């Protein structure tokens, strides 16, 4: 018996030792990969492990030969990399990239999104990236002409009369709003991207049609193209005229059969030699959804240019080209307009039949600009998507924040401000946290643009996420406002934004396409450190370049697999937060590192298993895009929190949004584990790894306590309200003073709400005294003034308190009233 026990004991001891050695070896290799140590370290570690397990000499020799084969680059390149490249070429495992796609991929640059895609983001470095700020000159313009423009705009009158009035248009021209991006040397304002964004944001919070009219000439259009690509003669002629408003520009890109697929445009031009011997172009086009076309004096046009006689010596198909066409040119038709959801800005079709223009004068960049239109458009869109629509969305979000929180405090039901009901706290918190995040995204992205960068993947995220966030926030504001939200009139501040929301969702690339085709579809190749180089090397047959990219890619995969496993097992605690990070926020840096590593390895698995088919798997690319976007948005929020001094009062906003974002990232991972079909590994991927991911979730929604703190600060913290909604048009005491608020409260709903908010807030102290007295039994519980009378008679409140309660009652009623009309008023235009 003792011998048997001894045998069992020896067996278990030996097995245990072997198991510990195996586990130790695995951990050693995981940590080597985690810290991205060089291949030589892997080789040494492998030899040590083999020796530890008593490997025979032949195995040690074979391992050494293989390691030397990979460590000596010239040998690896000849014996291994060349063969691997040929196999990949034959199997067609890399996506085929058209010239149009390549131009889009090569437009602009990559920025911090590359770090997030890498699996190992360096947040200490990311937090050093610039955060956009206004210059004193730009701030003066915002406080002066922009404020005045907002004052003279009458949003309800513009909507009802279906036009931006002439006096507003003239003011826009006179003050240089149409030339914000044009350099001062050409008569423009020479503003930064930040100033451009601030102007659009503020005007959008007052009048959307006016903001669109200001925004478009400063976005993708003739001025932007001329600044970057125009000839000296073109710049000298057109830019001063555009800056002064003497010329009204539009840009014709979209067509009935070419929307998100702008590369499929059918508008065309043919080169021919005129009777004067000069090269000319005969153009035919049919464009739609062209903003300002109906009042334009010059049309920026994208078209395919052909040279059937080979007059330029470059063959017949010259490619997409951009040109400037005066609207009064014979054959141009700008006589019609669309009706974009009743929002009265000029959104129009434009057609051209046999329109003849001089090639050198009209093509942007002259002869050197022929065929360069697609590249120009991709470069300009990369910046534009990060400015205009995010600015409009931020203005709408801040307006929703201010309006909904004011209404929630002023409006009472069952004797209590509706904002104190938990059901109302939920949408208020989403509005508050979303506004904080959207401003963070806007400012951080503008910092990159003002640094001279044009990151197309980031700006695509901004366009998609900003407009979608604003859509959710205006819906939440509608829910809070109730009947006040659905009743049109000058008292309704959010209905126009609610109606107009799908317009922003649609323009500058429909959001569905932006999400599925650009953010990850292009991002996978643009942001991956090796993938694009691999594809290029295979296409060109460059073995040396392929060797560097391919084995770098293999190392990248191994590192991220190790990081993903260890970060998952440690729930992110092996990752480091930047020094000085707020103690309650450190966890989010760790979780983002964990998310980045998991995202990176899954992206490589998807690209490796699906190859060229991946770009057609839009449900898969959409989920990757959601994860990628949420990592970027979370980074923006962290950057803002640091920039503004890690304020304790901002913690609820930061925590709520980051928790929400992590939950969205987890949702994306769940969808990938369920739907990524990995050949031979489907069961393992879905049932094992997917189950582990759900058990070991990277994030969950914020608890109710955070939403309570946010809604409370939105209603009661005046400083917080002012800071969170800074930059929009709102007649408040902080920006206009008490006297102006009082004077404008009868004619301006923002002033009316502000006045009521202030009075109701001051009356809260008296109401608390009365509630305490009722609870103590000092006075009986009655309704309204009867309770006040009892409280006054028993000196629970003072005469001053009584007057304040009476005033609060009056202004509360006035602030929550909605517009009403008799039949004549309802049917007629405002005069």
């Amino acid at each position: 018996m003792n011998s048997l026990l001894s045998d069992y004991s020896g067996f278990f001891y030996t097995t245990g030792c072997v198991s510990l050695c195996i586990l130790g070896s695995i951990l050693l290799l995981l940590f080597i990969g985690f810290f991205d140590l060089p291949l030589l370290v892997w080789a040494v570690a492998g030899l040590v492990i083999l020796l530890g397990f008593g490997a025979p000499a032949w195995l040690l020799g074979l391992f050494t030969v293989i390691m030397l084969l990979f460590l000596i680059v010239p040998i690896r390149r000849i014996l291994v990399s060349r063969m691997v490249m040929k196999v990949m070429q034959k199997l067609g495992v890399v996506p085929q990239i058209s010239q149009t796609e390549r131009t889009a991929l090569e437009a602009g640059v990559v920025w911090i999104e590359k770090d997030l895609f890498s699996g190992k983001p360096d947040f200490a470095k990311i937090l050093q990236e610039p955060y956009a700020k206004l210059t004193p000159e730009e701030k003066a313009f915002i406080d002066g002409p922009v404020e005045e423009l907002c004052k003279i705009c009458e949003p309800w009158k513009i909507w009802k009369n279906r036009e931006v009035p002439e006096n507003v248009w003239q003011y826009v021209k006179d003050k240089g709003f149409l030339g914000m991006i044009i350099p001062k040397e050409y008569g423009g304002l020479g503003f930064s991207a930040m100033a451009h964004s601030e102007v659009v944001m503020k005007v959008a919070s007052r009048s959307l049609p006016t903001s669109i009219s200001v925004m478009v000439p400063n976005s993708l259009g003739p001025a932007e193209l001329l600044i970057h690509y125009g000839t000296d003669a073109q710049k000298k002629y057109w830019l001063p005229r555009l800056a002064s408003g003497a010329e009204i520009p539009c840009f014709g890109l979209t067509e009935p059969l070419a929307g998100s697929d702008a590369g499929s445009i059918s508008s065309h031009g043919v080169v021919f030699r005129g009777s004067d011997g000069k090269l000319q172009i005969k153009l035919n086009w049919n464009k739609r959804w062209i903003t300002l076309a109906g009042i334009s004096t010059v049309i920026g046009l994208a078209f395919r240019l052909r040279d059937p006689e080979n007059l330029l010596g470059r063959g017949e198909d010259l490619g997409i080209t951009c040109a400037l066409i005066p609207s009064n040119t014979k054959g141009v038709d700008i006589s019609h307009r669309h009706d974009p959801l009743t929002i009265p800005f000029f959104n129009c079709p434009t057609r051209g039949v046999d329109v003849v223009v001089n090639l050198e004068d009209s093509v942007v960049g002259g002869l050197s600009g022929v065929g360069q239109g697609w590249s120009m458009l991709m470069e300009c869109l990369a910046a534009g998507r990060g400015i205009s629509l995010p600015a409009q969305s931020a203005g709408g979000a801040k307006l929703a924040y201010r309006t909904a929180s004011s209404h929630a405090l002023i409006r009472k039901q069952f004797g209590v401000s509706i904002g104190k009901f938990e059901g109302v706290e939920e949408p208020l918190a989403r509005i508050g946290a979303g506004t904080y995040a959207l401003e963070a995204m806007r400012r951080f992205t503008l910092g990159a643009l003002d640094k001279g960068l044009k990151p197309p993947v980031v700006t695509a995220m901004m366009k998609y996420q900003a407009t979608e966030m604003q859509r959710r926030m205006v819906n939440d504001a509608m829910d809070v406002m109730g009947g006040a939200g659905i009743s049109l009139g000058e008292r309704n501040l959010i209905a126009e934004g609610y109606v107009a929301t799908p317009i922003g969702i649609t323009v500058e690339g429909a959001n569905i396409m932006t999400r599925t085709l650009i953010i990850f579809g292009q991002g996978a190749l643009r942001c991956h450190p090796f993938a694009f180089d691999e594809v290029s090397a295979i296409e060109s047959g460059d073995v040396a370049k392929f060797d560097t990219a391919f084995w770098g890619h293999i190392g990248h995969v191994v590192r991220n697999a190790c990081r993903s496993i260890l970060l998952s097992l440690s729930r992110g605690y092996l990752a480091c937060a930047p020094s000085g990070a707020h103690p309650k926020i450190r966890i989010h840096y760790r979780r983002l590192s964990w998310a980045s590593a998991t995202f990176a390895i899954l992206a490589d698995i998807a690209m490796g298993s699906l190859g060229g088919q991946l770009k057609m798997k839009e449900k898969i690319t959409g989920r990757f895009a959601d994860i990628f976007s949420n990592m970027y948005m979370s980074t923006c929020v962290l950057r803002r929190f640091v920039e503004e001094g890690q304020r304790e009062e901002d913690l609820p906003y930061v925590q709520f949004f980051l928790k929400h974002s992590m939950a969205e990232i987890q949702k994306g991972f769940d969808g990938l584990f369920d739907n990524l079909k990995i050949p031979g590994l489907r069961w393992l991927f879905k049932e094992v790894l997917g189950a582990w991911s759900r058990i070991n979730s990277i994030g969950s929604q914020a608890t109710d306590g955070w939403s309570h703190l946010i809604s409370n600060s939105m209603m009661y913290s005046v400083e917080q309200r002012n800071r969170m909604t800074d930059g929009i048009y709102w007649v408040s005491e902080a920006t206009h003073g008490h006297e102006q608020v009082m004077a404008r409260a009868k004619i301006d709903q923002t002033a009316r709400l502000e006045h009521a908010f202030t009075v109701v807030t001051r009356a809260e102290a008296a109401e608390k005294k009365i509630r305490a007295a009722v609870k103590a039994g000092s006075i009986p519980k009655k309704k309204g003034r009867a309770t006040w009378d009892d409280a006054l008679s028993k000196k629970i409140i003072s005469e001053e308190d009584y007057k304040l309660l009476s005033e609060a009652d009056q202004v509360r009623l006035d602030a929550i009233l909605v517009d009403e009309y008799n039949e004549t008023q309802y049917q007629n235009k405002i005069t």
Side-chain angles (χ1 to χ4, degrees):
M1 179 63 75
N2 287 337
S3 175
L4 185 61
L5 288 173
S6 177
D7 289 344
Y8 273 118
S9 176
F11 171 76
F12 284 121
Y13 176 77
T14 303
T15 304
C17 288
V18 171
S19 299
L20 285 173
C21 288
I22 293 173
L23 180 61
S25 300
I26 292 171
L27 285 174
L28 173 62
L29 295 176
L30 284 173
F31 275 101
I32 290 173
F34 183 90
F35 291 108
D36 199 18
L37 298 178
L39 182 59
L40 181 61
V41 178
W42 284 92
V44 172
L47 280 173
V48 170
I49 291 169
L50 288 173
L51 286 168
F53 281 99
W58 69 266
L59 183 56
L60 291 171
L62 179 62
F63 179 80
T64 302
V65 169
I66 292 172
M67 285 296 102
L68 287 173
L69 176 65
F70 282 92
L71 284 167
I72 302 173
V73 175
I75 297 176
R76 180 186 72 200
R77 190 177 293 164
I78 295 169
L79 298 181
V80 182
S81 299
R82 185 185 299 276
M83 180 180 65
V84 172
M85 188 175 80
K86 287 182 178 178
V87 170
M88 292 179 72
Q89 285 173 327
K90 287 182 179 179
L91 294 177
V93 295
V94 296
Q96 296 297 309
I97 303 176
S98 68
Q99 186 54 47
T100 300
E101 290 174 312
R102 182 174 292 278
T103 302
L105 285 167
E106 292 175 347
V109 298
V110 289
W111 183 45
I112 68 159
E113 71 276 26
K114 188 171 184 176
D115 293 75
L116 297 172
F117 204 106
S118 73
K120 192 180 179 182
D122 183 350
F123 287 108
K125 183 187 77 172
I126 290 171
L127 292 176
Q128 297 302 312
E129 288 291 328
Y131 198 71
K133 292 180 174 64
L134 293 171
T135 66
E137 179 189 5
E138 292 168 342
K139 183 70 168 64
F141 187 81
I142 302 295
D143 294 339
V146 180
E147 176 73 16
E148 184 60 29
L149 175 61
C150 290
K151 282 182 183 178
I152 65 174
C153 283
E154 298 178 74
W156 174 239
K157 190 173 181 178
I158 291 173
W159 187 336
K160 192 71 174 174
N161 289 350
R162 295 173 66 78
E163 64 179 6
V164 176
E166 182 55 37
N167 69 308
V168 172
W169 260 113
Q170 194 59 49
Y171 189 84
V172 164
K173 294 176 185 178
D174 292 345
K175 296 300 181 180
F177 280 86
L178 301 183
M180 290 189 292
I181 65 170
I182 295 174
K184 291 182 178 180
E185 63 188 283
Y186 295 107
L189 297 177
F191 277 173
S192 64
M194 174 62 180
H196 175 187
S197 174
E198 288 280 309
V199 172
V200 172
M201 180 178 70
K202 186 162 188 169
V203 180
S205 71
R206 178 62 166 170
S207 168
L208 275 172
T210 307
S211 78
I212 293 169
S213 302
V214 167
M215 175 182 83
V216 169
N218 291 286
S219 186
L220 174 62
E224 177 80 6
L225 293 170
L226 286 167
I227 290 167
H228 295 292
Y229 312 108
T231 64
D232 287 341
Q234 288 171 338
K235 290 178 182 179
K236 288 175 182 177
Y237 177 78
W238 286 109
L239 289 179
R241 298 174 64 81
L242 290 166
S244 68
E247 303 282 356
I248 304 295
C250 69
F251 191 80
L253 178 60
T254 51
E255 300 176 359
L257 299 178
S260 296
D261 180 15
S264 67
I265 58 177
S266 61
S267 299
H268 57 278
V270 176
V271 179
F272 69 98
R273 196 174 294 281
S275 57
D276 58 359
K278 293 182 179 179
L279 292 174
Q280 296 186 308
I281 304 173
K282 181 182 286 186
L283 290 157
N284 287 272
W285 71 83
N286 179 18
K287 302 288 185 178
R288 64 168 68 178
W289 303 309
I290 311 305
T291 302
L292 298 185
I295 57 170
S296 68
T297 60
V298 58
I299 301 169
L301 192 74
F303 59 95
R304 289 191 174 278
L305 184 59
R306 292 173 50 246
D307 184 5
E309 298 178 52
N310 199 24
L311 296 173
L312 299 182
R314 293 166 50 183
E316 180 174 349
D317 186 4
L318 299 175
I320 295 175
T321 301
C322 293
L324 302 182
I325 316 297
S327 299
N328 61 1
T329 306
K330 183 181 178 181
V332 176
D333 180 6
I334 56 171
S335 62
H336 289 74
R337 65 189 295 180
H338 306 303
D339 188 357
L341 290 176
T342 75
I343 304 301
F345 68 98
F346 279 92
N347 185 258
C348 318
T350 171
R351 299 174 181 87
V353 179
D354 294 340
V355 177
V356 176
V357 293
N358 179 277
L359 186 150
E360 181 69 26
D361 292 340
S362 62
V363 171
V364 176
L367 279 172
S368 63
V370 168
Q372 300 301 308
W374 187 243
S375 175
M376 294 176 184
L377 293 174
M378 291 301 98
E379 288 277 353
C380 293
L381 276 170
R385 284 192 180 110
I387 301 174
S388 302
L389 290 171
Q392 271 197 341
S393 298
K398 290 181 179 183
L399 184 65
Y401 179 115
R402 195 90 186 193
T403 305
S405 61
S406 298
H407 183 85
L409 177 76
I410 295 164
R411 174 80 164 151
K412 278 189 172 184
Q413 291 290 277
F414 308 106
V416 179
S417 292
I418 63 170
K420 294 182 180 179
F421 292 107
E422 289 195 357
V424 176
E425 281 187 352
E426 285 186 305
L428 280 179
R430 289 194 294 265
I431 293 169
T435 301
Y436 183 94
L438 187 45
E439 178 68 355
M441 294 156 56
R442 185 181 74 92
R443 294 282 293 275
F444 193 32
T445 305
L446 290 169
L449 296 176
D450 277 333
K451 197 165 75 167
L453 303 178
K454 293 181 180 180
V457 176
V458 160
T459 54
M461 289 181 193
M462 281 298 298
K463 187 271 172 175
Y464 169 68
Q465 291 292 348
T467 53
E468 292 293 344
M469 288 170 71
Q470 193 269 339
R471 167 155 53 183
R472 293 192 292 271
M473 282 185 271
V474 77
N475 278 334
D476 279 331
M478 273 290 193
D479 288 346
V480 173
M481 300 290 289
I486 66 166
S487 302
L488 288 173
E490 63 182 4
R491 288 172 172 264
N492 192 330
L493 299 176
I494 62 171
E496 184 178 55
Y498 177 82
V499 173
T501 290
I503 299 172
I505 299 293
T506 303
V507 299
E508 287 190 18
N511 273 4
I512 290 175
M513 297 294 101
T514 303
R515 172 178 176 256
T516 57
L517 294 181
I518 300 179
I519 296 174
F520 185 78
Q522 289 185 14
L525 287 177
R526 275 309 298 264
C527 301
H528 194 288
F530 303 104
F532 194 37
D533 286 343
E534 282 178 286
V535 173
S536 299
I538 290 173
E539 288 179 345
S540 63
D542 188 333
V543 178
K545 184 178 180 181
F546 176 79
D547 176 84
T548 302
F550 181 77
W551 296 111
H553 194 163
I554 296 298
H556 175 77
V557 170
V558 172
R559 183 198 72 187
N560 284 323
C562 294
R563 285 183 62 80
S564 180
I565 291 168
L566 289 176
L567 289 172
S568 178
L569 290 171
S570 68
R571 294 196 53 75
Y573 277 91
L574 284 175
C576 296
S579 61
H582 193 287
K584 292 183 180 178
I585 299 300
R586 287 180 174 272
I587 187 173
H588 296 297
Y589 288 105
R590 296 180 182 123
R591 294 285 173 85
L592 273 175
S593 294
W594 174 11
S596 176
T598 304
F599 171 83
I601 190 64
L602 287 179
D604 272 310
I605 289 170
M607 287 190 284
S609 61
L610 295 173
Q613 296 179 359
L614 180 59
K615 64 182 179 181
M616 301 306 295
K617 299 291 185 181
E618 294 179 8
K619 295 173 188 175
I620 296 296
T621 60
R623 293 183 180 101
F624 274 116
D626 293 342
I627 298 168
F628 201 10
S629 294
N630 275 284
M631 288 195 296
Y632 178 69
M633 292 190 292
S634 296
T635 303
C636 293
V637 167
L638 291 168
R639 179 66 183 87
R640 178 181 182 181
F641 189 57
V642 169
E643 177 68 23
E644 297 182 357
Q646 302 190 118
R647 296 167 177 254
E648 290 293 325
E649 63 269 29
D650 287 353
L651 265 178
Y653 294 82
V654 175
Q655 290 279 23
F656 187 97
F657 184 82
L658 292 178
K659 292 282 283 182
H660 167 77
S661 199
M662 287 299 166
E664 289 297 303
I665 288 172
Q666 180 62 40
K667 180 180 174 183
F669 283 142
D670 291 344
L672 291 176
F673 282 119
D674 281 345
N675 294 284
L676 259 179
K677 294 178 172 59
I678 311 301
L681 297 174
R682 184 77 183 94
W683 180 85
L684 174 68
F685 205 73
K686 181 176 181 179
E687 303 300 336
V688 178
L689 297 179
W692 168 250
S693 175
R694 287 174 172 82
I695 293 169
N696 190 42
S697 173
I698 204 166
S700 58
Q701 294 291 344
T703 57
D704 293 345
W706 293 121
S707 61
H708 172 73
L709 290 172
I710 293 173
S711 61
N712 213 47
S713 80
M714 289 173 72
M715 292 190 293
Y716 294 107
S717 175
V718 174
E719 188 275 337
Q720 187 91 334
R721 283 164 52 81
N722 290 338
R723 192 161 52 85
M724 290 296 160
T725 58
D726 182 50
I728 64 168
Y729 178 78
W730 190 275
V731 183
S732 69
E733 292 192 6
T735 55
H736 293 76
H738 179 70
E739 295 303 322
Q740 269 208 51
V741 172
M742 291 287 289
R744 302 200 65 178
K746 293 181 180 179
I747 58 171
D748 189 304
Q749 181 65 6
T750 69
R752 192 178 290 122
L753 281 174
E754 183 72 11
H755 177 53
F757 181 88
T758 303
V759 174
V760 169
T761 300
R762 286 170 51 210
E764 281 272 314
E767 290 185 350
K768 284 182 181 178
K769 293 177 188 178
I770 294 172
R771 286 196 296 270
V774 170
K775 187 174 181 180
S778 303
I779 56 175
K781 185 176 181 180
K782 297 178 182 177
K783 287 189 176 181
R785 291 182 179 273
T787 310
W788 305 349
D789 292 337
D790 289 345
L792 181 61
S793 66
K794 294 201 174 183
K795 300 191 183 301
I796 293 167
I797 60 173
S798 65
E799 290 279 357
E800 189 62 34
D801 288 335
Y802 192 91
K803 289 178 182 178
L804 190 56
L805 288 167
S806 300
E807 184 183 3
D809 228 24
Q810 293 170 5
V811 298
R812 175 182 282 116
L813 175 62
D814 184 44
I816 64 174
L817 288 176
V818 297
D819 295 281
E820 56 185 73
Y821 315 96
N822 61 36
E823 191 61 26
T824 301
Q825 292 169 331
Y826 183 78
Q827 297 293 344
N828 291 343
K829 281 190 172 186
I830 300 172
T831 58

